[in-house]
């Protein structure tokens, strides 16, 4: 958008893709399915040559992603795992990676199940403890990958302090910002080098799209990641790029509602006799509460809680009628997950139990339904 940067972020999002087709004046950007593009003459290009290398619809999205995270370069992928996999290809055999121990199960699986076969070494640390991260850095460590808040226990890492540590130790600092979105937390502004997203979650927001994103702080790193994206090809299709552009326009409205309802439900859950513990960084007694207030502008829409028995957890999942018992998060429809058997099933049992991911722990992704309806559904499910 011309002169677009002087507008507020919400305005730029609402306008994403508008003015991209001067010939027709279309408000909604065009979907260009072409897999290849005609050259005007030998040695000349319209800027588009081949669909994997670049596509006009994907470009509108990628520029929007870079703008959202305040980075130099945005790249769109066919899923969050495709984005992460592409990023991991940046490393070499013998390189060591430090990762949050409270991590998306799929990230653990691709690192431990696949990349270690190619000689990458992985170490998991409590990234809510900056000193523990510092102690875990070795001469082989090349990067730190953090999720904050963590998944599913929602611990908060000090992103600015970790950025400083990474700069000092020359580590690439990667933040998976899926749970927060750039509207609540912008890690690149706190010193991260790359942000990862599963856009399947809040960004897509309707449980109808698989997509992922990388955003690099510098043009140089962006170019390297583009090289990896173009070389390996897990790009987002033009159709899905358009759907994600459309979804992003309403992200601020969805998120505001989701966060408000999540805060309300977290406070309500705390008062239920069947609920032993509630994990929500918006609660004043949450250990990361002050920190998240400093580094983010909201607490997110994910609430984890522990019930009094595995039977209770199972019954709740079977009794809910409005909320769906399903994996994933961030959509307009509320979902309830049992991380131990779903999202985190690939983490070895002992390790899971050590982290506190047991059969009593549930993770709620709060949608845009009326809070009272969600509360009633949880109440009748907990009554058992
Ligand atoms: C879902 C998720 C991913 C993986 O994304 P997909 O779109 O499912 O491939 C990565 N990180 C986090 C935090 C996630 O929640």
């Amino acid at each position: 958008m011309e002169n677009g940067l002087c507008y507020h972020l919400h305005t730029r999002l609402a306008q994403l893709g508008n003015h991209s087709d001067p010939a027709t004046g279309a408000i909604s950007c065009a979907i260009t399915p072409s897999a290849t593009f005609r050259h005007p003459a030998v040695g000349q290009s319209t800027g588009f040559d081949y669909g994997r290398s670049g596509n006009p619809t994907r470009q509108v999205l990628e520029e929007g992603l870079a703008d959202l995270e305040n980075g130099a370069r945005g790249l769109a992928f066919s899923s969050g795992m495709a984005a992460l996999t592409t990023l991991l290809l940046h490393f070499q055999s013998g390189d060591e990676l430090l990762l949050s121990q409270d991590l998306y199960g799929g990230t653990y699986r691709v690192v431990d199940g696949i990349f270690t076969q190619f000689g990458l070494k992985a170490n998991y640390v409590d990234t809510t403890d900056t000193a523990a991260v510092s102690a875990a850095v070795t001469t082989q460590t090349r990067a730190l990958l953090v999720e904050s808040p963590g998944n599913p226990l929602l611990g908060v890492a000090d992103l600015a302090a970790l950025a400083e540590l990474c700069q000092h130790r020359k580590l690439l600092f990667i933040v998976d910002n899926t749970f927060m979105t750039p509207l609540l937390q912008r890690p690149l502004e706190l010193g991260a080098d790359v942000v990862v997203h599963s856009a399947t979650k809040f960004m897509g927001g309707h449980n109808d799209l698989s997509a992922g994103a990388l955003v690099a702080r510098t043009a140089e790193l962006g170019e390297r990641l583009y090289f990896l994206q173009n070389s390996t090809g897990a790009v987002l299709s033009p159709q899905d790029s358009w759907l994600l552009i459309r979804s992003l326009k309403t992200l601020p409205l969805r998120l505001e509602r989701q966060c408000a309802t999540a805060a309300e439900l977290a406070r309500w859950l705390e008062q239920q006799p069947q609920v032993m513990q509630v994990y929500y960084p918006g609660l004043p007694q949450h250990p990361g509460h002050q920190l998240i207030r400093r580094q983010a502008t909201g607490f997110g829409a994910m609430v984890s809680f522990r019930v009094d028995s595995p039977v209770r957890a199972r019954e709740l999942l079977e009794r809910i009628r409005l909320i769906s018992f399903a994996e994933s998060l961030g959509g307009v429809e509320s979902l309830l997950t049992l991380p131990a058997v779903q999202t985190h099933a690939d983490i070895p049992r002992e390790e899971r139990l050590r982290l506190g991911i047991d059969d009593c722990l549930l993770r709620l992704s709060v949608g845009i339904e009326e809070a009272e309806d969600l509360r009633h559904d949880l109440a009748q499910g907990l009554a058992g």
Side-chain angles (χ1 to χ4, degrees), residues 77-84 103-107 109 145 147 149-151 176-179 196-201 209-213 302 328-329 343 363:
F77 296 86
S78 54
S79 70
M81 288 322 300
L84 271 161
L103 189 74
Y104 178 67
T107 307
R109 180 175 56 205
L145 194 165
E147 278 183 36
N151 183 358
D176 184 331
N177 205 25
T178 300
F179 272 32
V196 186
H197 279 279
S198 169
T200 311
K201 315 295 170 55
L209 166 71
S210 272
M302 300 301 296
S328 201
L329 60 115
T343 51
R363 193 189 74 183

Side-chain angles (χ1 to χ4, degrees), residues 38-111:
R38 189 169 55 236
H39 301 297
V42 175
Q44 284 183 25
S45 165
T46 60
F48 298 98
D49 304 308
Y50 186 64
R52 167 165 37 73
S53 310
N55 170 277
T57 317
R58 199 174 87 223
Q59 182 173 304
V60 168
L61 170 65
E62 291 183 331
E63 288 173 1
L65 292 169
D67 179 27
L68 257 177
E69 285 286 6
N70 199 9
R73 185 86 181 245
L75 298 166
F77 296 86
S78 54
S79 70
M81 288 322 300
L84 271 161
T85 299
T86 304
L87 174 61
L88 290 168
L89 291 168
H90 173 63
F91 300 102
Q92 295 176 9
S93 171
D95 285 354
E96 208 173 274
L97 215 61
L98 277 178
L99 304 100
S100 294
Q101 62 183 13
D102 192 17
L103 189 74
Y104 178 67
T107 307
Y108 174 86
R109 180 175 56 205
V110 78
V111 169

